[in-house]
Amino acid sequence: MSITVFSKQNCMQCKMTKRQLEAKGIPFEEKNTDDDPEVLEQLREEGFGSLPVVKAGEESWTGFQPPKIAHLAELVQSA
């Protein structure tokens, strides 16, 4: 399963999300919207209004979501 975290600099929820993923041993790719404004525009077109955005397979969400990260850890471990 491919996991991508869309984040930006100085975003506390982004940092917390990445730390939690790392702590649970979940591999992910980070895309920083400060480095690529086109990515931010694409996320807006998809209906996302805040960061971080986490896309994991068919599932996606915004913000720091510990229960969703825990569920994702279960999926990754069982794969």
Side-chain angles (χ1 to χ4, degrees), residues 6-40:
F6 297 88
S7 65
K8 66 179 180 177
Q9 301 292 348
N10 301 318
C11 167
M12 186 54 68
Q13 289 193 39
C14 300
K15 290 177 185 177
M16 292 168 58
T17 296
K18 293 183 291 184
R19 282 186 195 153
Q20 184 108 25
L21 290 168
E22 290 168 352
K24 294 193 177 294
I26 302 171
F28 65 93
E29 176 185 2
E30 179 182 7
K31 292 192 177 181
N32 189 309
T33 60
D34 289 333
D35 297 336
D36 190 352
E38 290 179 12
V39 171
L40 183 58

Side-chain angles (χ1 to χ4, degrees), residues 56-70:
E58 298 291 319
E59 189 174 357
S60 60
W61 70 83
T62 62
F64 178 55
Q65 302 282 336
K68 291 187 180 194
I69 294 170

